[in-house]
Amino acid sequence: MTSIVHIAVPSPLRQLFDYLSEKDVSFWQTGMRVKVNFAGRDCIGIVMSASERETDKDSLKKLKAIDAIIDETALIPEEIIQTVLWVSRYYHHPLGEAFQTALPKLIRNGAEAVLSLEPWWFKTEFVTEKKLGSKQQACLAMLEDYPEGLSQTALRNTLGNVSASMKALENQGLVIQKQQAKLPLGRNELTFPMQLSEEQQQVVDAVWQERAAFTPFLLQGITGSGKTEVYIELTERMLRDGKQVLILIPEIGLTGQFVERFQKRLDASIVVLNSAVSDGDRKQGWLLARAGLADLIIGTRSAVFTPLPSPGLVIIDEEHDSSYKQQDGLRYHARHVALVRAQKMGIPVLMGSATPSLDSLYQVQQNRFQLLQLSERAGGARLPAVHLVDSQAAHPDHGLSEQLLKRMQSHLSAGNQVILFINRRGYAPVLMCHDCGWQAKCRDCDARMVVHRHRQILFCHHCGLIQRLPDSCPDCENMQLKSYGAGTEKIEQHLQDLFPETPVIRVDRDTTQRVNAFNDIVTEVRQGQARILVGTQMLAKGHDFHDVTLVGVLDTDQGLYSADFRATENLAQMITQVTGRAGRGEKAGEVLIQTEQTSHPFWRSLIGDGYAKAAQRLLSERIEMGMPPVSNWAVIRAEARDRSLAMDFLQQVSQLLHQTEQQEVIILGPVPTIMEKKGGRYRAQLLLTSASRKPLHQLLDWHTEAISRHKLARKCRWSIDIDPMDLI
Ligand code: ADP
Ligand code: ZN
Ligand code: ZN
């Protein structure tokens, strides 16, 4: 035993663990993986450093030996190690667990880190006099266009089964075969680039000019203004320069459409990383990126941790989207991590959105982000007209107003498509007995059960509890149970009754669970023909449906009165994104918003002045009230089955924190959360706020160790959330 290796293992304890090794100190490199026994089970650890073994100290006798060395050289690049170290410090999360989030499953589970290979074909210089079969000729002709070779898969995708033909060509010396890295996506027929508008060109030039330095850009471009075209153009330039590009997109069914546009324009090796991609392909994608063999990586949140040996640019599409913040485990924000990485790598970051977050607009105000704008719709499409409709006049059951139904009728008979948004899935949010007042409530949450008629169940959207839909009141056996309010299912059903000739498509989490379900719906809708789409917010994001001319938004009022400090920001973003869904093509669009508060100043500001001005106003309000992004917040949350335990624990945490003499950080609470009971656990939170970031982090640095070792900590689930998205 000649060295002691310091290893990050997946554990809630905030420290490295030491193991003994027979290898010399010089063998060990940061970023190798090893198999070790930790707390009685086998796990994979990441080597952080190693030191000379000193004499036979007693303390060393207790150390275990490393069980197996998985990598002979460092697998995880230094820059990723540094990023994860930063993430672990900033989010006050144990390092070993931070690696769990940052690495693809197969890599963190210790699978062999070698690229899968496949046969690739190359044309030789040799020419033959012999007459070749037509399939053989086709293969040769195709290879002619690809001096850098083509994979067997690529040949097969275009020409069908080619193995016999390729064998024959190989025997004649016309082609040769090599084993090369398997690329996850085939190459597409390329289409010609569009002529960029002057505005688009200016944006491209501004970013391109700063390509050699860390420069964060916020691209504020109204929906349909051609942001994606700008991304494509910049990506193309970066690839020509031999650089890699990382594009982050929100966590939704958008990937297919988005990736396809890049595939059609770039002769590049593109890797896609999201939850629909198999573990094997994710590992392959990660290894391709690490080897510099992936030119363009398009992925959701966790793709921000992809290795980039020759980085050129990071693009964050829909930068305001809340799915960039992970809401459990390591609660990181991918935009923040991307900025930190780009700074280290010395490259620009382009954050695009039609509705930038107040966080990013604040950074612009502080001159930390550079603002770029696209103010016209590409191809001359016009923005739709927006009207408010008083929802008090709406139908008491399904909640649709006469006015909205009339407009639907007229848009549909003109052969156009209509989208209705309602942010509630299921049939109805309330089931009640008229005789005794019984209501369907969740056993484990402070919440009502939602009626899902299609599946004949009551469903709790907070904890997932499912019960059979009762025929009679469980308390008084009355048969007349009545549902109130409307969700996507009820509205779908009513519309199908009202417009029997028009197909109604429902898009919510219940109808899109199957892989590709979302893409299939998108394809169906894009085929044109009159159709009605009823969906939750999932439909609002980024889709380009050319024949949608009318958009209706139901049930907007909860956004105006929510306890969540970001609720109005989110409502403004949602309405603006939704508005952007209408009239994307040549036809003019129209938007109807149903609200009980038609004269609320929020609407006047948003509809009258547009998102940019409304957002500035919301930001001024936040600044005035000293809320994020002006101040820095951290929440310590706890939950336990025992009613008072979470509160007791946080009380103790608060006392610990108060032991430090300081003025900068204000400690508020603990208080029970608004919905105290969820999934059978009682929840509470402690809020820490501070005008500047440093004292807040310092205070946590000083105390997290003691908090995690507190005796009550073991009895509840607890977490630290830095820069929380909400306090609900
Ligand atoms: P965004 O990403 O801002 O929503 P897109 O890049 O998707 O906008 O562009 C919206 C539509 O306009 C797309 O159909 C796109 O093909 C088209 N488009 C974008 N740029 C141009 C251009 N320079 N000339 C013509 N059409 C364009
Ligand atoms: Zn009853
Ligand atoms: Zn529940």
Side-chain angles (χ1 to χ4, degrees):
M1 296 286 176
T2 63
S3 57
I4 302 170
V5 190
H6 314 298
I7 298 174
V9 298
S11 144
L13 297 177
R14 288 145 205 271
Q15 64 178 81
L16 296 179
F17 293 87
D18 291 349
Y19 286 81
L20 291 172
S21 157
E22 285 170 7
K23 299 273 188 191
D24 251 21
V25 172
S26 62
F27 169 82
W28 293 106
Q29 299 171 6
T30 308
M32 290 172 160
R33 294 170 305 163
V34 290
K35 195 163 124 196
V36 293
N37 188 285
F38 180 78
R41 64 192 165 89
D42 285 341
C43 65
I44 305 300
I46 311 291
V47 173
M48 298 306 288
S49 60
S51 50
E52 211 71 61
R53 182 185 176 181
E54 296 160 38
T55 50
D56 266 342
K57 272 203 232 149
D58 268 359
S59 60
L60 290 183
K61 288 196 181 132
K62 284 194 242 135
L63 290 188
K64 282 185 242 164
I66 287 173
D67 291 335
I69 296 167
I70 299 171
D71 307 306
E72 294 289 328
T73 56
L75 174 70
I76 301 156
E78 175 63 19
E79 187 254 322
I80 297 296
I81 298 267
Q82 290 305 326
T83 301
V84 178
L85 276 167
W86 177 86
V87 161
S88 155
R89 271 196 309 272
Y90 183 83
Y91 291 102
H92 299 269
H93 198 76
L95 181 63
E97 291 194 348
F99 275 114
Q100 295 290 304
T101 305
L103 299 174
K105 187 162 165 210
L106 293 181
I107 296 288
R108 65 173 187 258
N109 288 353
E112 207 188 1
V114 287
L115 282 163
S116 326
L117 303 178
E118 66 175 338
W120 279 64
W121 293 99
F122 302 81
K123 191 175 170 300
T124 62
E125 295 297 303
F126 197 72
V127 236
T128 183
E129 303 284 286
K130 253 180 66 184
K131 180 120 178 62
L132 298 171
S134 62
K135 188 75 157 265
Q136 292 180 23
Q137 280 177 27
C139 290
L140 267 192
M142 200 170 160
L143 285 176
E144 187 89 52
D145 292 339
Y146 289 88
E148 69 280 32
L150 268 179
S151 68
Q152 176 121 343
T153 321
L155 280 166
R156 190 186 335 114
N157 286 346
T158 323
L159 301 172
N161 190 356
V162 292
S163 20
S165 311
M166 294 312 291
K167 206 84 235 143
L169 290 170
E170 190 181 24
N171 288 339
Q172 299 171 67
L174 294 167
V175 298
I176 54 166
Q177 192 206 100
K178 283 187 211 159
Q179 289 289 317
Q180 279 195 5
K182 187 167 181 217
L183 300 181
L185 281 188
R187 298 196 165 178
N188 251 1
E189 294 264 334
L190 295 183
T191 56
F192 286 104
M194 282 178 194
Q195 175 75 38
L196 292 187
S197 70
E198 211 173 292
E199 266 194 324
Q200 286 172 314
Q201 195 61 51
Q202 279 167 5
V203 171
V204 168
D205 292 341
V207 178
W208 185 245
Q209 242 169 34
E210 302 295 336
R211 66 190 174 282
F214 169 62
T215 325
F217 291 98
L218 179 65
L219 171 57
Q220 177 160 23
I222 56 168
T223 40
S225 61
K227 293 184 290 298
T228 312
E229 281 309 313
V230 166
Y231 304 155
I232 295 175
E233 173 67 23
L234 277 165
T235 303
E236 189 165 25
R237 288 196 189 187
M238 287 290 167
L239 302 194
R240 246 187 278 141
D241 232 22
K243 295 285 176 23
Q244 292 172 295
V245 175
L246 169 66
I247 305 184
L248 299 180
I249 55 177
E251 214 168 62
I252 29 162
L254 248 176
T255 322
Q257 215 185 328
F258 191 81
V259 172
E260 200 181 296
R261 283 179 69 179
F262 282 81
Q263 261 186 310
K264 281 191 177 149
R265 284 282 305 284
L266 305 170
D267 180 24
S269 109
I270 303 176
V271 158
V272 176
L273 298 172
N274 62 25
S275 53
V277 174
S278 74
D279 289 337
D281 283 350
R282 275 193 185 207
K283 177 184 119 181
Q284 178 80 352
W286 190 87
L287 289 170
L288 284 167
R290 178 182 173 278
L293 293 172
D295 306 316
L296 169 60
I297 296 99
I298 302 177
T300 47
R301 188 173 61 224
S302 68
V304 75
F305 294 107
T306 312
L308 299 168
S310 23
L313 174 68
V314 179
I315 295 170
I316 306 173
D317 190 30
E318 310 285 351
E319 67 84 31
H320 66 280
D321 196 287
S322 62
S323 76
Y324 286 124
K325 175 86 195 265
Q326 180 148 305
Q327 300 285 16
D328 55 8
L330 172 59
R331 292 163 165 79
Y332 69 102
H333 200 300
R335 183 182 59 217
H336 198 161
V337 178
L339 285 162
V340 168
R341 270 191 85 185
Q343 184 159 30
K344 272 190 276 154
M345 300 188 288
I347 59 168
V349 180
L350 179 60
M351 295 163 272
S353 174
T355 53
S357 60
L358 299 190
D359 292 350
S360 295
L361 289 170
Y362 182 64
Q363 300 303 327
V364 170
Q365 226 179 60
Q366 300 293 305
N367 291 320
R368 293 196 205 103
F369 291 0
Q370 215 171 303
L371 184 66
L372 301 172
Q373 279 171 299
L374 290 175
S375 53
E376 293 153 21
R377 277 198 153 185
R382 275 169 300 153
L383 274 171
V386 181
H387 308 284
L388 292 175
V389 178
D390 188 350
S391 62
Q392 293 180 43
H395 190 281
D397 188 27
H398 55 63
L400 299 166
S401 62
E402 257 330 290
Q403 198 178 341
L404 179 57
L405 289 171
K406 274 208 192 100
R407 295 308 299 148
M408 285 181 72
Q409 179 70 63
S410 102
H411 281 261
L412 290 170
S413 42
N416 296 325
Q417 299 180 336
V418 175
I419 301 186
L420 292 189
F421 289 96
I422 165 112
N423 230 355
R424 188 187 297 122
R425 70 201 162 94
Y427 186 80
V430 182
L431 183 70
M432 220 180 130
C433 165
H434 256 265
D435 276 8
C436 74
W438 171 88
Q439 287 192 19
K441 290 205 180 113
C442 178
R443 179 190 72 198
D444 294 331
C445 305
D446 295 328
R448 294 197 183 96
M449 298 290 274
V450 178
V451 180
H452 283 240
R453 245 225 335 232
H454 189 69
R455 291 170 64 195
Q456 286 290 303
I457 55 166
L458 288 170
F459 187 17
C460 173
H461 288 184
H462 299 282
C463 71
L465 181 74
I466 291 178
Q467 289 168 345
R468 207 178 54 81
L469 194 61
D471 317 312
S472 59
C473 172
D475 283 358
C476 74
E477 288 171 23
N478 168 24
M479 298 294 282
Q480 243 83 79
L481 291 180
K482 203 162 156 29
S483 74
Y484 290 92
T488 45
E489 261 187 46
K490 189 186 269 186
I491 290 172
E492 174 197 19
Q493 193 192 321
H494 271 278
L495 290 174
Q496 199 60 91
D497 292 345
L498 286 170
F499 303 99
E501 308 296 317
T502 313
V504 179
I505 305 172
R506 172 160 61 92
V507 184
D508 56 25
R509 231 187 303 157
D510 300 316
T511 62
T512 54
Q513 270 173 352
R514 187 172 51 79
V515 179
N516 282 332
F518 202 92
N519 280 343
D520 293 350
I521 291 173
V522 171
T523 313
E524 197 182 327
V525 175
R526 292 179 108 201
Q527 274 157 11
Q529 289 182 43
R531 281 192 177 85
I532 302 169
L533 280 102
V534 178
T536 53
Q537 239 191 84
M538 130 188 268
L539 241 182
K541 305 182 182 183
H543 296 283
D544 200 353
F545 298 133
H546 279 223
D547 293 307
V548 171
T549 53
L550 175 66
V551 167
V553 193
L554 312 173
D555 200 39
T556 52
D557 294 310
Q558 59 201 34
L560 293 175
Y561 299 109
S562 167
D564 173 10
F565 73 100
R566 278 183 221 267
T568 38
E569 172 185 358
N570 292 340
L571 179 62
Q573 287 163 342
M574 191 272 268
I575 296 288
T576 311
Q577 295 281 344
V578 159
T579 304
R581 297 306 113 208
R584 297 270 285 185
E586 325 222 295
K587 303 167 184 168
E590 180 180 18
V591 177
L592 295 188
I593 299 170
Q594 289 195 173
T595 172
E596 283 182 15
Q597 303 294 322
T598 45
S599 53
H600 197 289
F602 170 83
W603 294 121
R604 211 175 321 127
S605 164
L606 184 63
I607 296 169
D609 305 333
Y611 181 81
K613 283 207 184 128
Q616 289 303 337
R617 200 159 303 153
L618 292 174
L619 180 57
S620 314
E621 280 171 28
R622 288 253 196 102
I623 293 173
E624 230 160 77
M625 291 188 285
M627 305 253 273
V630 193
S631 60
N632 299 277
W633 284 14
V635 185
I636 305 180
R637 298 195 176 89
E639 53 179 63
R641 292 204 179 275
D642 190 341
R643 179 154 218 154
S644 59
L645 207 71
M647 280 296 282
D648 290 348
F649 169 60
L650 291 181
Q651 206 75 57
Q652 304 267 329
V653 171
S654 167
Q655 273 173 25
L656 269 174
L657 296 173
H658 273 110
Q659 281 171 8
T660 304
E661 287 265 349
Q662 54 85 28
Q663 252 98 61
E664 286 105 324
V665 184
I666 300 166
I667 302 165
L668 296 161
V671 289
T673 55
I674 295 173
M675 187 173 94
E676 187 180 9
K677 191 177 171 205
K678 182 179 166 183
R681 291 167 191 274
Y682 295 89
R683 309 178 305 154
Q685 58 193 19
L686 186 66
L687 175 63
L688 281 62
T689 76
S690 161
S692 56
R693 195 165 259 170
K694 201 155 164 219
L696 178 69
H697 284 261
Q698 244 164 20
L699 188 65
L700 287 169
D701 279 338
W702 286 326
H703 296 288
T704 23
E705 183 63 29
I707 295 171
S708 63
R709 289 181 189 279
H710 194 280
K711 64 179 195 302
L712 288 183
R714 258 168 290 149
K715 295 190 181 162
C716 28
R717 286 192 195 157
W718 70 282
S719 62
I720 299 176
D721 190 354
I722 304 293
D723 310 328
M725 295 305 275
D726 55 54
L727 295 179
I728 292 184

